[in-house]
Amino acid sequence: HWYPASPSPAIGSPIRKPEHIRKLLLNHRLEPSRCLFAGDAMTDYLAAKETGVPFIGIENEMPLPKDALTIPHCGYLADWVQP
């Protein structure tokens, strides 16, 4: 499933990101391996790893681990998402 930006508030602090991810997976009955977490911070990468959701990094000034697949900007996400 593709869940683009919505009018709902952004998901993040103060609740830990892995808790949000688990809630989304449960509420939408999604398998972690069939999802994709796009993020631009180490906390995004770690949350994806902790919950088993594949991660793709959006390049910026924040360093990500060398093993993280990264893309220059969000415009490339459609190339990685299969309907």
Side-chain angles (χ1 to χ4, degrees):
H1 295 276
W2 174 252
Y3 292 99
S6 67
S8 63
I11 296 176
S13 297
I15 297 173
R16 291 187 59 243
K17 288 179 184 182
E19 294 171 33
H20 282 299
I21 295 170
R22 287 185 190 100
K23 185 176 178 180
L24 286 169
L25 293 171
L26 181 65
N27 289 347
H28 294 283
R29 298 184 182 134
L30 300 171
E31 291 294 323
S33 63
R34 305 238 336 125
C35 299
L36 180 66
F37 189 133
D40 62 356
M42 181 62 79
T43 54
D44 297 332
Y45 172 82
L46 295 172
K49 284 286 215 185
E50 184 177 324
T51 58
V53 175
F55 177 81
I56 188 164
I58 308 300
E59 295 171 6
N60 67 19
E61 66 278 352
M62 302 297 292
L64 291 169
K66 293 185 189 302
D67 70 328
L69 175 66
T70 61
I71 56 176
H73 57 77
C74 292
Y76 289 99
L77 277 176
D79 297 337
W80 292 94
V81 177
Q82 297 179 8

